[in-house]
Amino acid sequence: MNFVEMRRKQTKWNIEQNPTSITIKRTIKKKAQGYIDEQNIDVGPFIVRIFNSGSSSPPSSHYIGW
């Protein structure tokens, strides 16, 4: 097994530990005839692993009045 195959195997194993599906929403702006045309495009879904840095628990948010 060469280095590239080993690294791909490790990356696959790492993602499988905590898989998350994400979809990226892109807005493309193009010049048209006297105006700017916007197109919304969805890219994905991609399976990724999201790392929390500095904390083992998910961040909490506090809202006034909740």
Side-chain angles (χ1 to χ4, degrees), residues 15-64:
I15 292 172
E16 289 173 351
Q17 300 309 302
N18 187 14
T20 302
S21 177
I22 63 169
T23 302
I24 299 173
K25 297 182 184 281
R26 299 174 69 183
T27 301
I28 298 174
K29 297 181 180 182
K30 292 184 179 180
K31 289 184 179 179
Q33 299 173 355
Y35 65 97
I36 297 176
D37 186 29
E38 291 187 4
Q39 294 178 337
N40 295 322
I41 299 174
D42 291 341
V43 181
F46 299 105
I47 304 297
V48 298
R49 182 175 182 191
I50 299 176
F51 293 91
N52 292 335
S53 62
S55 176
S56 61
S57 62
S60 62
S61 56
H62 302 281
Y63 296 101
I64 296 174

